[in-house]
Amino acid sequence: MRERQVPSPYGNYAHAVITAGARRHPDRVAVTYEGGLALTYAGLDARVNRRANALKQAGVSAGDRVAVLLRGTLGIAETYLALAKLGATLVTLNPYWSDDITTTMVERSKCSAFVYEGAFDALAAGISPKLPQVSRWLRLGGATADSVDLDQLTEVASDQEPELGAHYDDELALFFTSGTTGLPKAVVHTHASALATAQQWLDVPHNNDSVFGTGPIIWGVGYFAIAGPALYAGMHLVLENDFGPARVLEAVPAQKITHISVIPSFFSQLFGTDGQADADLSSLRVVLLGGEPLLPSLRQRILDRLPGVALCSYYGQTEAPYTVVGYQHDNSQDVRASGRARTGCAVRVVDAEGRRLVGEVGDVWLTGPHLMRGYDADPERTAEVLREGWYVGGDIGVLDESGTLTVLGRRQDAIRRAARYVLPGEVEDAALSIDGVAEAGAVGVPEDADHQRILLAVQKAPGSDLDALTVQKQLADRMPEDARPDAVVVVDALPHAQDSSGGQGKLLRREIRDHWAHLAGENHEQ
């Protein structure tokens, strides 16, 4: 009989990400937490092993699904890696969900354990009676009458690596989409797909002295797309519990941070933060921008503020993280382009029949070893977006002859005019070139009409006396007639998603429509 082969430990995500680093460079600093606690790679690996053994003692086994609701970045790092070593499936919960959505997602995901921290005591107490299938409530920060003190178990647990419970194509985690329509979708990633995502640094400049700064945005897929890759690459990871603009202005010079990854509108907010002009940001060498379009006007402001920085764009989705990487600082691509498929991945643009297009607008398809396995317990929706090994996510774009992709936006966000589609970014970028405009968002109204009016909402810069008629008049000189907004609303703040980073999240265009669509025939200040 053929002997059963034991899987390589390097097929386990956590072993490959942190244990391998502990063997390569045990004394190199892996993590600095909140500007104080510093852990070497060997030290972090030992802490992860203790957390894994504590979870095992609490009854968590390979194959279990474990709901995790944390904001503290060190707790996230240790718990995510520990569950991966055990072979339990991490189910990442969004700290900004309502109690009802949290309950539904835990129930649908068939979780048998729930890890949380003290900030969520009230939520845990409220939802636990509704979740009888959750038999173990594990708390960071001390026990309660209904929970086990996971920190205390961790403190006395062995630092020897437990038996690795999952490898390669085994299920690693459920990450949830934003749920802009209906409930969030549960995206299943494996150890293999997460490791493929971790290899993104093959395409981004870095070296042994690189210091990557991040905040609690790493809950969910952010960990596997941001923090995990930094550790996999042997970088020094600076973890902060607040990584909003004000804290970034302090942390970058204090920790000599060289790399950050944020959404472009983070810089819109940073440029309006007191003291930013005098802050020493000279240690920054690489800035990764993704998650929303990078408008040329904002790109130039960033490069003016950070001369010499390598400004990298990236594009992907929860289902296919960091598929495309590009370079915005060296004129190697058009300023609106996202970049090329990174090593081992591929991208194409196709027409309605699936035929490949070059130089023409079509649907963006992505593929590579980093693709999700599918949506949990939803084969029909999985079949809609996974086609012949490609992920079809609903974005439209253009691919040039060199393979450089320009993402034009969500097909559902494109504004339908009589003769053509107008992309929100066209209008927003023109608006940002007007003095006094801090941010802009454009939508088509009514939502489902064949011909839509363009509603532009602009946020005034602090101290500005900008009015809607001024915006309208200046845009008349900067835009073709069929792309000019039909109505302009000037407001003090635009709606954004919560992203747990301490800064504003993505612009919520749907809420612009919900708030101000009724004004689409007029110009207003609010």
Side-chain angles (χ1 to χ4, degrees):
M1 292 180 59
R2 175 183 291 180
E3 286 189 25
R4 178 178 175 272
Q5 289 190 331
V6 177
S8 166
Y10 295 95
N12 176 277
Y13 176 83
H15 185 93
V17 165
I18 185 62
T19 307
R23 293 178 176 179
R24 285 196 307 272
H25 33 245
D27 298 327
R28 181 182 297 176
V29 175
V31 168
T32 300
Y33 178 58
E34 288 279 273
L37 176 66
L39 298 170
T40 64
Y41 272 83
L44 178 59
D45 190 43
R47 286 175 67 110
V48 168
N49 288 340
R50 286 196 292 271
R51 176 62 53 82
N53 287 317
L55 287 163
K56 185 176 181 179
Q57 184 180 344
V60 176
S61 303
D64 289 348
R65 286 187 167 182
V66 180
V68 178
L69 184 59
L70 300 173
R71 276 204 188 103
T73 50
L74 184 59
I76 290 171
E78 293 178 347
T79 303
Y80 284 18
L81 290 169
L83 288 169
K85 286 198 175 191
L86 285 181
T89 298
L90 163 68
V91 179
T92 60
L93 305 180
N94 187 324
Y96 290 99
W97 282 342
S98 68
D99 291 11
D100 287 343
I101 291 179
T102 299
T103 303
T104 300
M105 294 298 101
V106 173
E107 184 176 35
R108 286 190 177 184
S109 302
K110 297 181 171 60
C111 297
S112 59
F114 194 115
V115 178
Y116 67 104
E117 60 190 27
F120 301 106
D121 281 345
L123 180 145
I127 68 175
S128 58
K130 306 173 188 177
L131 294 168
Q133 78 275 22
V134 177
S135 58
R136 295 174 296 280
W137 293 82
L138 311 175
R139 185 177 183 272
L140 301 186
T144 65
D146 300 313
S147 67
V148 172
D149 185 349
L150 187 56
D151 283 337
Q152 194 278 329
L153 289 180
T154 301
E155 186 176 341
V156 299
S158 168
D159 63 3
Q160 296 301 301
E161 185 169 68
E163 179 181 356
L164 301 175
H167 304 78
Y168 299 113
D169 291 330
D170 291 330
E171 186 176 281
L172 171 68
L174 303 188
F175 304 120
F176 293 90
T177 62
S178 58
T180 54
T181 56
L183 288 170
K185 299 186 292 292
V187 176
V188 180
H189 274 285
T190 65
H191 286 254
S193 65
L195 282 171
T197 297
Q199 294 169 357
Q200 65 179 272
W201 289 101
L202 294 172
D203 298 272
V204 179
H206 70 285
N207 56 36
N208 290 340
D209 297 324
S210 297
V211 181
F212 194 104
T214 190
I217 187 65
I218 64 171
W219 55 258
V221 76
Y223 182 87
F224 291 90
I226 297 174
L231 293 172
Y232 189 77
M235 300 170 75
H236 173 182
L237 181 64
V238 170
L239 294 174
E240 297 283 340
N241 286 336
D242 170 14
F243 210 60
R247 179 58 187 151
V248 165
L249 294 176
E250 298 174 355
V252 167
Q255 301 293 325
K256 304 300 180 187
I257 292 172
T258 62
H259 291 59
I260 60 172
S261 178
V262 294
I263 60 175
S265 55
F266 174 91
F267 276 97
S268 296
Q269 190 179 16
L270 184 139
F271 291 143
T273 301
D274 290 342
Q276 74 83 18
D278 299 322
D280 181 8
L281 304 180
S282 60
S283 65
L284 285 175
R285 299 201 298 266
V286 177
V287 173
L288 289 93
L289 296 173
E292 61 186 19
L294 172 61
L295 301 178
S297 54
L298 181 58
R299 168 189 174 274
Q300 191 56 52
R301 291 182 68 191
I302 295 170
L303 291 175
D304 289 344
R305 178 62 179 86
L306 302 173
V309 76
L311 191 62
C312 300
S313 53
Y314 67 84
Y315 167 72
Q317 298 186 32
T318 301
E319 295 86 343
Y322 278 81
T323 305
V324 169
V325 173
Y327 306 100
Q328 292 284 346
H329 58 284
D330 61 2
N331 298 316
S332 61
Q333 65 180 51
D334 184 89
V335 296
R336 295 181 185 271
S338 298
R340 300 181 185 179
R342 65 181 177 87
T343 303
C345 301
V347 60
R348 67 180 179 181
V349 172
V350 305
D351 63 15
E353 282 71 47
R355 292 185 293 257
R356 182 173 180 267
L357 300 175
V358 176
E360 299 180 53
V361 176
D363 294 306
V364 178
W365 289 23
L366 310 172
T367 193
H370 65 315
L371 287 189
M372 69 169 181
R373 174 186 286 171
Y375 297 121
D376 185 48
D378 196 344
E380 291 185 3
R381 190 170 286 179
T382 299
E384 290 176 3
V385 301
L386 291 183
R387 306 179 194 174
E388 301 175 355
W390 293 82
Y391 171 68
V392 184
D395 285 339
I396 56 176
V398 178
L399 197 69
D400 69 17
E401 292 182 353
S402 73
T404 300
L405 175 71
T406 299
V407 179
L408 301 176
R410 304 289 294 172
R411 181 176 289 280
Q412 66 188 35
D413 288 338
I415 301 168
R416 294 179 289 279
R417 303 291 268 183
R420 70 178 179 106
Y421 282 115
V422 175
L423 297 165
E426 292 182 60
V427 186
E428 292 161 2
D429 192 45
L432 284 172
S433 67
I434 298 172
D435 288 342
V437 173
E439 191 177 12
V443 297
V445 293
E447 183 174 3
D448 297 318
D450 292 331
H451 177 77
Q452 296 176 303
R453 298 174 68 80
I454 299 175
L455 168 65
L456 173 67
V458 299
Q459 177 179 321
K460 292 188 293 186
S464 171
D465 59 357
L466 190 71
D467 62 75
L469 288 177
T470 299
V471 174
Q472 194 85 301
K473 289 177 181 178
Q474 293 203 36
L475 289 179
D477 297 329
R478 304 174 193 218
M479 302 192 70
E481 185 174 358
D482 62 352
R484 295 172 194 163
D486 299 290
V488 175
V489 179
V490 178
V491 297
D492 292 328
L494 294 179
H496 289 85
Q498 293 280 9
D499 68 3
S500 193
S501 68
Q504 60 190 14
K506 297 179 184 178
L507 179 68
L508 294 176
R509 291 193 178 92
R510 67 180 183 275
E511 291 200 12
I512 291 176
R513 184 183 290 114
D514 292 345
H515 279 85
W516 300 296
H518 64 288
L519 304 176
E522 308 169 42
N523 293 322
H524 288 266
E525 291 94 47
Q526 291 193 355

